[in-house]
Amino acid sequence: MALALSWTGCADTDIDFADFATSDHTIVVRFMPQFPDSYEGPLVAENGSGTFVFGMGDYSAAPKGQTKLMLAVGSQQLDAPVSLAPATWRHAAVTVEVTGSARVHRVFVDGAQVGSSLTFPSSNSPATGTLRVGKRTSGMTVNGRNGQFYGLVDDVGVFTRRLSAQELAALASADGLTGKEPDLLAGVAFRPGRRRATLGATTSLHGAARIVATSPDRDSQADAASLPLPTAHEPMDLPFPPGEAWKVIQGVDFQGGSHQGYACFCWDFVVADHPQAGEYPDGSDGAPFYAAAPGTVVTVRESAPSGTSQSSNYVEVEQATDEYCAYLHLRQDTALPKVGDHVAAGALLALTGDTGVKVGAHHPHVAVTDAPDQTPGFVTFPVAFRDYQVRSGDDNWTDVARGMPLNGQVVRNPPTPTFHRAGLSVASVVARSPNDLDVVATDASGRAWRTHWTPGRYDANWDRWRPVLGDIATPGTPPSLVSLDPHRLDVFASSSDGRTFTGAWDDRVASGVWRGWWNIQTGHIVPGGAVTAVSRAPNKLDVFHVSNDGHIYTAAWDHHVADGKWRGWWRIGNLKAKPGSPVSVVARDDHKLDIFVASADGTTWTAAWDRDAANGNWRGWWNIQTGHIPAGGTVTAVSRAPNKLDVFHVSNDGGIYTAAWDNDVADSKWRGWWRIGNLKAKPGAPVSVVARDDHKLDVFVAGADGKTWTAAWDRDAADGTWRGWWNIQTGHIRPGSAVAAVSRAPTKLDIFIVSKDNQVYTAAWDHHVADGTWRGWWKIG
């Protein structure tokens, strides 16, 4: 194990300078630099007052163009040139010898002294407080910059005497500190089998500091995989349209390039496969570039004509506190936003120009800084882009969930997918909050994609389509989406080999990267079969499917049970249905579930679970008033109050029917079926239903005429009878396809379809907008 550090990351120890600073001592540390061409990065420093910094030196400082370690004590600084390669373990030490009125500091790397010595008056204490790893005292800078070490750190120790070069070489070649070394005052080791307490020091982690796994034998090549991706920044996309290929002509920490020191973390891009000076789209001259993240424009400079100035034209966007994204080399007078404007992610910012000095060097330059450009002491810091692809070979593209594009790579945002006609189900949309909508759908190859809406964040209102993990499904597999809380999504689907899988997304975990797919206890199901899930409490999930044997099964996940592992599958009674049929599920409260399915004989059935009834066993099946429906058809249900259920299907005659159950009516027996109007749909087609409150229902269906239709019921309107059907802005859809619907507030409805062009469209209704008429359709992506 080792300590991984990125921007904002540090770790505090309880090793006190007062216990060693005024006499002979040695500080040792093992480290793997991630970006040796960058700026000052403390390996160890003070957390208190005064100045003590030992770590990476500024690559751009004298001697220029060399990697180096630096030691700053009080007002003095020593730069010690040493060849440092990225992702390679090294061992460093500072020895201090007190001789009369002087305190002499020497720097060692792998047991050999580098650079000269630094002498400090022995009567002065250079620092007070405790030893910190990764940064200086909060708010304190290194040479005016917000110094940060990037990489891995381990085996931090303080000895109460000056170790010799031979002793330091032995420590460098050893497995690591054990806590038994002679004269070891205290230390911290994160390696397997080393308890930090055995070395006498404790640590606390801050910011983007993590403990990561490393190899037992310090294998640099293996441990490079544990170097951290940046975490503490606004999520960013490549600043290009979906499907457009660009080449990285200079990446971060590129040795021999022009981005070094404070400017280490920058990217230069050109349109791939075309001359740099060519006119867009056959080159980079005039290419549009877009906001990688939303924010407020703080700088627009576009006064420099090509070839006449050493200062670039640029737009700068404040993405978050102390986080500014600069887009450089725009063509003069092409910037669209003005200072103070809010720009959404994906908003067009400007057209690409050249560098101003080097005519014809057309390329967008992107960097994120801790202060506006030209602010004294500002630095770039590393960021990761999300959901992009890297080209290999002629036209093979590999997905990257989060990463830092490397020099020479050809990258792109994935093209907008082509969706399968059955790639959207009635359970494919959720509202995590009144201002958050999420949709998942599967494309023509069976891959799941997700998009998101929130006001003002995306230039096209909706986010671009983003892949959900890897390919597992077959074409036409309908995904099911559940939200446990406003920060989390769980998706469920059947795989091409007939198993049931789930994946999870949490914007607080793993930098918002999807995790999974996890197979749920094998869970055999026909490829393309429906998997349905529900959350009846923030830490509980229940999932259902009709297995290969035609029986209905369930599995459950509870964060507090069985170490948070899935349990099941449990068979529910003896009813048989067509394998892979959709099961509709409703949670009336946190301890009641009701499920509905079309049986193999073409009738509609329900079963129920109540934690407090029948010893917590499932009860049923009960036939709902016969209710004829084709085997494999969709039965949809909703609970508009804890003691009420409404169920819908398209029967064999193509009519849309509903039945109802109320615990306080008709001796708690099901009533119906009642036909809703005269509309006809494909028998067995899914009916989507939304309860906006306990006395309002809205239903949606693809008509047999290939249009999208809705009907409504309001207990207090039209004598409590159904009204409709109303055609929603035509809304071309293939008969039998699903209309996914959601209500994110009592006066709002949003619906989604895969139209005949295999793209996803949305329409919206708001009682207070456009005189309460439907608006749309808008293409997503």
Side-chain angles (χ1 to χ4, degrees), residues 551-575:
H551 289 291
I552 296 87
Y553 290 81
T554 183
W557 174 88
D558 187 319
H559 179 71
H560 303 297
V561 177
D563 295 325
K565 296 178 182 178
W566 281 92
R567 295 166 295 127
W569 296 84
W570 302 290
R571 180 169 147 182
I572 301 174
N574 295 314
L575 184 72

Side-chain angles (χ1 to χ4, degrees), residues 248-402:
V248 182
I249 59 171
Q250 190 169 184
V252 301
D253 199 54
F254 175 52
Q255 295 183 344
S258 59
H259 302 161
Q260 296 153 353
Y262 78 95
C264 179
F265 304 107
C266 308
W267 283 270
D268 289 340
F269 300 95
V270 295
V271 175
D273 309 318
H274 293 286
Q276 183 174 354
E279 188 73 19
Y280 180 80
D282 299 319
S284 303
D285 185 10
F289 56 92
Y290 303 82
T296 302
V297 176
V298 294
T299 309
V300 176
R301 185 185 190 275
E302 52 180 343
S303 59
S306 173
T308 63
S309 173
Q310 294 187 3
S311 298
S312 296
N313 294 325
Y314 63 96
V315 172
E316 196 167 34
V317 177
E318 184 177 12
Q319 301 179 166
T321 303
D322 300 327
E323 182 174 319
Y324 301 81
C325 188
Y327 304 85
L328 276 67
H329 310 325
L330 62 90
R331 181 185 286 180
Q332 187 181 19
D333 298 327
T334 65
L336 294 182
K338 303 294 188 288
V339 172
D341 287 353
H342 172 81
V343 292
L348 177 62
L349 296 178
L351 302 182
T352 301
D354 56 35
T355 60
V357 177
K358 189 174 181 182
V359 177
H362 304 282
H363 64 268
H365 167 112
V366 181
V368 177
T369 61
D370 66 338
D373 191 63
Q374 306 306 312
T375 301
F378 84 101
V379 295
T380 61
F381 60 85
V383 296
F385 295 96
R386 57 181 178 160
D387 298 321
Y388 66 92
Q389 295 178 322
V390 176
R391 189 171 72 185
S392 59
D394 293 334
D395 199 29
N396 297 315
W397 294 91
T398 301
D399 293 326
V400 179
R402 288 187 79 249

Side-chain angles (χ1 to χ4, degrees), residues 26 56 178 262 286 358 374 392 433 488 510 608 648 749 767 778:
T26 301
M56 299 289 302
T178 65
Y262 78 95
K358 189 174 181 182
Q374 306 306 312
S392 59
S433 76
R488 179 168 174 177
F648 304 82
L749 290 165
H767 178 72
W778 303 289

Side-chain angles (χ1 to χ4, degrees), residues 421-426 632-634 650 680-687 701-707 733-739 754 756:
R421 59 173 295 177
L424 191 72
S425 77
V426 295
T634 301
V650 181
K680 283 206 168 187
K682 183 178 178 179
V687 179
V701 70
D705 58 357
K707 297 178 181 179
I733 184 173
R734 294 179 181 88
S737 296
V739 181
V754 177
K756 292 182 179 180

Side-chain angles (χ1 to χ4, degrees), residues 237 242 344-347 386 416 419 424 428-441 449-466 481 489 740-742 744 749-753 760-764 775-781:
D237 294 330
R386 57 181 178 160
T416 300
F419 292 96
L424 191 72
S428 291
V429 55
V430 298
R432 288 185 280 130
S433 76
N435 288 320
D436 287 282
L437 284 174
D438 294 273
V439 181
V440 293
W449 298 74
R450 171 221 176 192
T451 186
H452 174 240
W453 172 88
T454 194
R457 182 173 180 85
Y458 309 110
D459 186 60
N461 294 316
W462 284 83
D463 190 14
R464 65 181 172 91
W465 287 100
R466 299 180 184 277
L481 190 63
L489 295 169
V742 69
R744 51 192 171 86
L749 290 165
D750 295 270
I751 64 171
F752 306 84
I753 63 172
V760 175
Y761 289 80
T762 183
R775 294 165 297 125
W777 295 84
W778 303 289
K779 181 181 173 182
I780 298 176

Side-chain angles (χ1 to χ4, degrees), residues 61-76:
K64 291 187 176 181
Q66 288 182 264
T67 56
K68 56 184 70 67
L69 292 182
M70 65 158 290
L71 175 66
V73 180
S75 60
Q76 300 184 60

Side-chain angles (χ1 to χ4, degrees), residues 59-126:
Y59 185 87
S60 299
K64 291 187 176 181
Q66 288 182 264
T67 56
K68 56 184 70 67
L69 292 182
M70 65 158 290
L71 175 66
V73 180
S75 60
Q76 300 184 60
Q77 180 172 318
L78 167 68
D79 286 313
V82 59
S83 179
L84 295 172
T88 303
W89 281 111
R90 305 298 293 270
H91 187 275
V94 176
T95 67
V96 178
E97 180 184 11
V98 178
T99 57
S101 62
R103 186 184 293 117
V104 181
H105 301 73
R106 298 179 178 87
V107 174
F108 291 79
V109 176
D110 299 330
Q113 184 174 347
V114 293
S116 57
S117 60
L118 187 152
T119 302
F120 194 84
S122 60
S123 58
N124 296 338
S125 177

